[in-house]
Amino acid sequence: MRSIEHFINGSSVADAPRQSDVWNPSQGEVQARVGLGTSATLQKAVDAALAAQPAWAATNPQRRARVMFKYKELIEANMDSLAELLASEHGKVVADAKGDIQRGLEVIEYTCGIPQALKGEYTQGAGPGIDVYSMRMPLGIGAGITPFNFPAMIPMWMFGMAIACGNAFILKPSERDPSVPVRLAELMKEAGLPDGLLNVVHGDKEMVDAILDHEDIKAVSFVGSSDIAQYIYSRGTANGKRVQAFGGAKNHGIVLPDADLDQVVNDLTGAAFGSAGERCMALPVVVPVGDDTAAALREKLVPAIEKLRVGISTDPEAHYGPVVNEAHKQRVENYIQMCVDEGGELVVDGRGFMLQGHEKGFFVGPTLFDHVKPHFRSYKEEIFGPVLQIVRADTFEEAVRLPSEHEYGNGVAIFTRNGHAAREFVSRVNVGMVGVNVPIPVPVSYHSFGGWKRSGFGDIGQYGQEGLRFWTKTKVVTQKWPDGSAAGDHKEAFIIPTMA
Ligand code: NAD
């Protein structure tokens, strides 16, 4: 059976006292084993990073950008094989796996402009003969701990920015689909990145804790579920690190009575069921405003859902594939039962879905509930599966309140033709990323990504300007070049300098 090893200092390292199974979710079979490392494994990665980082930080940014340009070419050249590998471990369909890689690649494209992005600020003549300038300096070694659901995009968000800014990086990817992250690191080496600057260590809590406690790791970026995000944030910051930790989500799509319902149904089915709902920017809750809107929406939604094709990840006709593993399938089905028990109306039931010829695969059919109420636990918690809940609102005010008062605050979307209502919603809703007639408002690479409330701990977003801030520290220099004429008793030197 294939073994997946760490990638440290430019080479594979088999350092694995424990192993974890890597499944093919479409077949329901183990296809590889990944070796889980320890603090000793991490130390090897830190030693390599410490040795390589100073020279990289001293490499001029244009040369660093050239590596990123080459990397972009290599990812494009390897897109098909990366997407197939990704789909085989995650379960998402190959076309969607390409989207996962492409969204990461867009951050790599942003880093190709790193010389421009890293330019500091300069003020000439801030005082008599005094100039002030600021520089963005790398932190040293950064680490990333990433979830299973975007095994290419999220690692690239993190290491692309960190490395282009002059840092070394240690990635701890999800142990459920670890092959693509290793491949991404190998391709960075092929693009010309010196050894030691991008290391991949596999592991579970033991490895994560070793990262959080290691004094040479200066910053940690995390994406995963909210309880773990909070834990990472607390333990990392208690150890003096800079930490950004993004968590779970329960995103709402608000549908006003004037919305184009055909567009809404297209957008909703893609955003609720694409990737089997395993996206932090999925739309698992739809809030039609008014019973007429709800009835009209439901009438169009049900046949659209019934037409969805669930298939193996290599089926080009499939809209979505299996969920990641058996335990997760069980969890999603338990939430469906919970919502039934809580009084939700089960309109389409995806439980017990079997795909002929792939009976062991971890499939869940598309599921629709109506009349879901805000006090249901199945509404408050993240299901992370192909389950869409209709929560009816009587008024616009109620529709603004629902996502605003939900404990998660990652994304939200409003569907309407009314510009005034959309503008009002955008400014008042208490959520970090908002779409107006855009169902999955993941910001483009030159803006920044970040949810609010229990969807994000720490106050700096991923990639774009915020990513630059996260992966660098600012040094501000105030300089004067005296002309040599100073003499005598300078009493003013004893007073704090001001610009008065
Ligand atoms: P997860 O929290 O189980 O795992 C994330 C990472 O944390 C993995 O690398 C894992 O090995 C590690 N980990 C797991 N348990 C740990 C523990 N007890 N202590 C320390 N580390 C631990 O998340 P997942 O199931 O891989 O991913 C799905 C979750 O990620 C969902 O909640 C989803 O909403 C969230 N997510 C959020 C975003 C976002 O940007 N907000 C993006 C993608 C996914």
Side-chain angles (χ1 to χ4, degrees):
M1 182 160 298
R2 186 163 61 92
S3 303
I4 302 160
E5 296 177 342
H6 314 285
F7 184 78
I8 297 175
N9 207 19
S11 305
S12 286
V13 171
D15 196 0
R18 292 182 297 128
Q19 306 259 322
S20 179
D21 291 338
V22 176
W23 292 78
N24 178 329
S26 297
Q27 309 303 345
E29 284 167 359
V30 175
Q31 58 164 317
R33 294 227 158 77
V34 58
L36 307 178
T38 62
S39 56
T41 321
L42 179 66
Q43 190 56 49
K44 289 180 193 165
V46 169
D47 289 343
L50 282 174
Q53 192 267 336
W56 181 243
T59 300
N60 73 56
Q62 190 126 17
R63 283 185 180 223
R64 298 205 300 256
R66 280 187 199 132
V67 173
M68 306 316 278
F69 270 112
K70 182 72 194 160
Y71 189 54
K72 169 179 153 55
E73 279 174 25
L74 284 173
I75 295 286
E76 283 165 349
N78 286 275
M79 179 64 90
D80 289 346
S81 62
L82 283 167
E84 276 156 29
L85 184 59
L86 193 160
S88 83
E89 291 185 359
H90 177 284
K92 62 178 77 175
V93 294
V94 171
D96 195 30
K98 287 186 180 171
D100 182 335
I101 298 163
Q102 179 61 31
R103 285 308 295 250
L105 191 55
E106 288 167 13
V107 170
I108 300 299
E109 287 168 347
Y110 176 83
T111 67
C112 292
I114 204 72
Q116 169 71 14
L118 278 183
K119 278 196 312 197
E121 295 174 326
Y122 186 86
T123 302
Q124 187 184 12
I130 292 178
D131 306 321
V132 178
Y133 62 96
S134 64
M135 303 186 285
R136 285 187 181 277
M137 316 289 286
L139 304 174
I141 306 180
I145 301 160
T146 53
F148 82 84
N149 69 324
F150 280 102
M153 175 182 85
I154 294 175
M156 281 197 266
W157 286 358
M158 296 177 183
F159 72 68
M161 293 297 302
I163 289 174
C165 287
N167 300 286
F169 195 82
I170 298 173
L171 173 66
K172 204 302 286 171
S174 171
E175 60 278 37
R176 295 189 227 170
D177 45 13
S179 292
V180 165
V182 172
R183 211 42 218 120
L184 292 176
E186 289 169 351
L187 289 169
M188 274 295 261
K189 179 181 166 104
E190 215 175 308
L193 187 74
D195 290 348
L197 290 170
L198 177 55
N199 305 284
V200 182
V201 292
H202 302 293
D204 50 16
K205 180 169 166 46
E206 182 180 345
M207 180 62 84
V208 170
D209 286 347
I211 290 172
L212 295 172
D213 294 344
H214 202 297
E215 61 175 12
D216 289 320
I217 295 175
K218 302 300 177 196
V220 174
S221 180
F222 172 87
V223 176
S225 51
S226 289
D227 288 349
I228 313 258
Q230 187 167 16
Y231 167 75
I232 302 274
Y233 187 76
S234 314
R235 187 155 171 168
T237 52
N239 284 332
K241 297 184 198 316
R242 183 177 290 178
V243 182
Q244 55 178 191
F246 295 98
K250 191 89 177 195
N251 307 319
H252 294 55
I254 311 302
V255 183
L256 297 192
D258 67 350
D260 174 344
L261 287 187
D262 291 319
Q263 181 215 330
V264 171
V265 167
N266 275 338
D267 287 349
L268 260 184
T269 44
F273 302 109
S275 197
E278 292 172 325
R279 290 185 185 136
C280 66
M281 288 295 271
L283 270 187
V285 175
V286 58
V287 182
V289 176
D291 275 336
D292 291 349
T293 315
L297 177 68
R298 180 169 156 170
E299 199 182 314
K300 286 177 184 278
L301 201 49
V302 173
I305 291 175
E306 284 170 345
K307 270 195 238 131
L308 293 179
R309 179 176 166 120
V310 183
I312 57 171
S313 59
T314 48
D315 174 357
E317 303 300 319
H319 291 100
Y320 74 86
V323 299
V324 69
N325 59 23
E326 180 62 38
H328 192 55
K329 175 181 157 125
Q330 206 49 58
R331 183 170 179 267
V332 172
E333 295 199 343
N334 290 346
Y335 270 115
I336 296 173
Q337 186 57 46
M338 182 192 296
C339 194
V340 170
D341 296 344
E342 289 174 313
E345 181 195 347
L346 182 55
V347 183
V348 182
D349 186 356
R351 288 173 297 178
F353 184 95
M354 278 281 184
L355 192 64
Q356 227 183 358
H358 305 278
E359 287 77 6
K360 288 197 294 177
F362 310 131
F363 298 97
V364 182
T367 299
L368 178 70
F369 278 99
D370 196 357
H371 299 289
V372 171
K373 303 290 177 205
H375 66 271
F376 289 5
R377 201 180 129 197
S378 62
Y379 163 75
K380 291 182 180 165
E381 296 180 5
E382 180 182 45
I383 299 176
F384 220 55
V387 181
L388 178 60
Q389 294 176 304
I390 300 177
V391 181
R392 296 176 176 222
D394 290 332
T395 61
F396 175 78
E397 287 303 318
E398 198 183 331
V400 178
R401 238 185 358 256
L402 282 164
S404 298
E405 290 180 357
H406 202 283
E407 71 168 334
Y408 292 116
N410 216 36
V412 69
I414 184 163
F415 298 93
T416 178
R417 292 182 168 102
N418 181 333
H420 176 75
R423 190 169 181 276
E424 193 64 13
F425 180 80
V426 165
S427 63
R428 284 174 49 198
V429 72
N430 185 21
V431 171
M433 292 174 280
V434 186
V436 177
N437 298 311
V438 170
I440 305 184
V442 176
V444 291
S445 62
Y446 40 97
H447 285 259
S448 300
F449 180 104
W452 289 0
K453 299 181 279 179
R454 282 187 67 74
S455 297
F457 299 85
D459 51 9
I460 310 186
Q462 294 272 2
Y463 62 78
Q465 290 287 323
E466 301 242 332
L468 289 175
R469 274 182 60 212
F470 187 79
W471 294 111
T472 58
K473 54 193 172 191
T474 307
K475 186 177 275 183
V476 186
V477 180
T478 303
Q479 71 174 11
K480 179 161 94 172
W481 297 100
D483 61 5
S485 64
D489 174 20
H490 283 282
K491 276 226 180 90
E492 65 274 17
F494 292 84
I495 300 164
I496 178 86
T498 69
M499 289 298 130

